[in-house]
């Protein structure tokens, strides 16, 4: 199980990431948006594996009609993702958002 505090800690540990509000929710940016709290307990991240993740575990990974135009965005239920998996997802999202390696 992961929490918003885990998201914050992992995001801010990545190079060049800043936190600010987006749609009245905490969000983390590299060159572009890499993660945002969509609603309590639900996080938006970027991934090239959206379809596969949602097919394998639709109770954890999903998207809304709002996200249809953005095929890299997936929503995930934090309570269903362990911190190691969360870290991997955020690292990929950081890369896709234009983040740089250390």
């Amino acid at each position: 199980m992961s929490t918003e505090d885990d998201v914050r800690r992992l995001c801010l540990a990545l190079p060049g990431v800043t936190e600010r509000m987006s749609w009245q929710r905490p969000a983390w940016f590299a060159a572009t948006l890499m993660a945002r709290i969509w609603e309590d307990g639900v996080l938006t991240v970027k991934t090239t594996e959206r379809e596969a993740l949602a097919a394998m575990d639709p109770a954890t990974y999903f998207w809304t009609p709002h996200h249809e135009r953005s095929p890299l965005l997936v929503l995930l239920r934090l309570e269903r993702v362990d911190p190691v998996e969360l870290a991997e997802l955020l690292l990929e999202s950081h890369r896709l958002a234009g983040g740089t390696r250390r």
Side-chain angles (χ1 to χ4, degrees), residues 22-35:
S22 175
W23 294 34
Q24 292 84 43
R25 295 288 186 160
W28 296 269
F29 293 80
T32 62
L33 176 74
M34 67 169 277

Side-chain angles (χ1 to χ4, degrees), residues 9-101:
R9 176 180 50 79
L10 291 165
C11 285
L12 294 177
L14 294 168
V17 173
T18 59
E19 179 178 345
R20 63 182 185 261
M21 298 299 280
S22 175
W23 294 34
Q24 292 84 43
R25 295 288 186 160
W28 296 269
F29 293 80
T32 62
L33 176 74
M34 67 169 277
R36 174 179 32 230
I37 299 296
W38 180 253
E39 59 188 39
D40 291 344
V42 177
L43 180 70
T44 306
V45 296
K46 291 182 177 180
T47 180
T48 58
E49 302 296 324
R50 175 169 93 165
E51 299 281 340
L53 289 168
M56 286 186 335
D57 189 358
T60 301
Y61 300 98
F62 63 102
W63 62 90
T64 69
H66 173 86
H67 299 91
E68 285 294 329
R69 296 174 306 172
S70 303
L72 293 178
L73 294 180
V74 69
L75 298 169
L76 62 97
R77 289 183 174 82
L78 287 169
E79 67 184 16
R80 298 182 52 89
V81 176
D82 71 55
V84 172
E85 185 176 359
L86 178 63
E88 292 170 2
L89 289 162
L90 290 171
L91 189 60
E92 180 188 16
S93 191
H94 180 256
R95 180 182 59 79
L96 292 170
T100 58
R101 293 189 169 261

